[in-house]
Amino acid sequence: MSLDPQAKAILDALAADPDAPRLIDLPPAQGREMYRAMAQAMDLQGVAIGKVEDRAIPGPGGDIPVRIYTPVASGSTVPALVYFHGGGWVIGDLDTHDALCRTLANEAGCKVIAVDYRLAPEHPFPAAFDDCLAAVKWVEKNASDIGIDPNRIAVAGDSAGGNLAAAVALQAKADKGPHIAFQLLIYPVTDAPRGTKSYKDFAEGHFLEADGMDWFWNHYVAGADAGDARHSPLRAASLAGLPPAYVVTAGFDVLRDEGKAYAEALKKAGVAVEYVNYEGMIHGFFNLQGVLDVAREAVKAAAKALKEALA
């Protein structure tokens, strides 16, 4: 296994500036600004889309901003993907994942509803989870209003967003609704940090570092029950009966092993799972489509799996 040359170039460029601030040394507000700037520099820009609509929907802690993407070619009623952005529950927003959501909508032929859930540390666990669950319920309830099929709703997210998607799918199963037809989990957080071999192998110098995950985790989860599946879905008592899943990991990522472990646990529980590990990639590569050829291929492959699952 070797690091993709384009990914290596990104890591080399980051390492070449030893005076650049580390995320874990910044207050969350400054970390958010840094992440926005990085997203603008490294993701695709100007992805054409049929329609984009910003709305606010009711949530447990006040209105939740959402962004609804209608693909270029769209019928009157289409499947829906409810998307939860990554960023460790602390950073990230609708704009940092705008290009990815546009691409998924176009490639999968579905509407994407991106959710701007509350962020930690201002709003610690379970605020983000509560908002995401409320958003999926709203999408199902308002299916006719937004032009989607309530029987073809998927959830998805990357990193912390993948964690939220998995947790929402678990809760929806327990509550017998809302109905979720598919889950797309992109290098998801599935358990508390630092327990795996990939955490040891890629603790430093591979974009997301072990200390960085601690920073995110402590802002969001500190003080919560360690066994709560709403933040650690790998610890759920049972994964049986969950919707089919497409799980993506990156070979040079601290989260690789726990993503793989979740895919294996789903399969063992009888859930239909497709697991894909992009061996030469680093964490966050789905948002690096502007600089990584493999990222563009991976997003298209995930969208194809989503389209087929919701057909």
Side-chain angles (χ1 to χ4, degrees):
M1 183 175 65
S2 59
L3 191 62
D4 178 272
Q6 291 178 322
K8 184 177 185 302
I10 293 171
L11 297 180
D12 288 346
L14 292 172
D17 185 3
D19 296 325
R22 298 188 307 161
L23 182 66
I24 62 174
D25 296 328
L26 297 174
Q30 286 182 245
R32 291 165 192 155
E33 290 298 326
M34 186 171 77
Y35 188 45
R36 287 188 197 104
M38 185 176 294
Q40 181 73 21
M42 294 192 179
D43 210 345
L44 294 174
Q45 299 301 319
V47 180
I49 192 77
K51 181 183 177 182
V52 176
E53 180 186 4
D54 286 338
R55 295 181 65 165
I57 65 173
D63 284 350
I64 305 168
V66 299
R67 183 169 294 170
I68 303 173
Y69 299 85
T70 301
V72 173
S74 176
S76 58
T77 302
V78 295
L81 175 67
V82 186
Y83 196 89
F84 312 126
H85 67 78
W89 313 278
V90 177
I91 60 178
D93 54 35
L94 297 177
D95 292 333
T96 59
H97 286 65
D98 183 72
L100 176 56
C101 289
R102 286 168 179 255
T103 306
L104 287 171
N106 286 335
E107 294 288 338
C110 68
K111 289 199 177 188
V112 173
I113 300 92
V115 181
D116 200 12
Y117 54 85
R118 288 172 291 170
L119 297 177
E122 296 90 340
H123 305 284
F125 173 82
F129 167 83
D130 289 343
D131 284 358
C132 292
L133 181 61
V136 179
K137 290 178 178 178
W138 180 88
V139 168
E140 183 182 67
K141 183 178 179 180
N142 293 273
S144 59
D145 176 49
I146 59 178
I148 63 101
D149 182 348
N151 296 310
R152 293 189 290 163
I153 298 172
V155 293
D158 59 295
S159 194
N163 167 275
L164 291 165
V168 165
L170 274 165
Q171 192 65 48
K173 182 196 74 166
D175 295 344
K176 296 181 170 51
H179 174 69
I180 295 173
F182 189 70
Q183 48 183 332
L184 169 58
L185 311 178
I186 304 163
Y187 31 83
V189 182
T190 65
D191 203 357
R194 290 189 176 269
T196 64
K197 184 176 184 297
S198 59
Y199 257 99
K200 299 179 179 69
D201 291 347
F202 311 117
E204 295 181 356
H206 293 87
F207 201 57
L208 175 63
E209 299 187 335
D211 286 349
M213 265 308 301
D214 288 342
W215 186 83
F216 289 127
W217 188 264
N218 291 334
H219 276 314
Y220 177 57
V221 184
D225 176 5
D228 196 325
R230 293 175 300 169
H231 61 65
S232 295
L234 192 55
R235 302 192 185 200
S238 173
L239 302 180
L242 283 170
Y246 185 89
V247 182
V248 178
T249 57
F252 288 78
D253 181 6
V254 292
L255 300 182
R256 182 196 65 198
D257 290 354
E258 65 193 71
K260 181 181 179 182
Y262 196 65
E264 290 174 344
L266 287 168
K267 185 176 181 180
K268 186 176 180 180
V271 178
V273 181
E274 183 173 357
Y275 169 65
V276 185
N277 179 50
Y278 287 88
E279 291 190 351
M281 285 292 102
I282 56 176
H283 186 82
F285 74 98
F286 265 54
N287 287 94
L288 305 177
Q289 292 184 83
V291 291
L292 293 176
D293 295 338
V294 173
R296 294 190 291 276
E297 296 167 9
V299 173
K300 286 186 177 183
K304 181 174 182 287
L306 176 65
K307 185 175 185 177
E308 291 173 352
L310 298 180

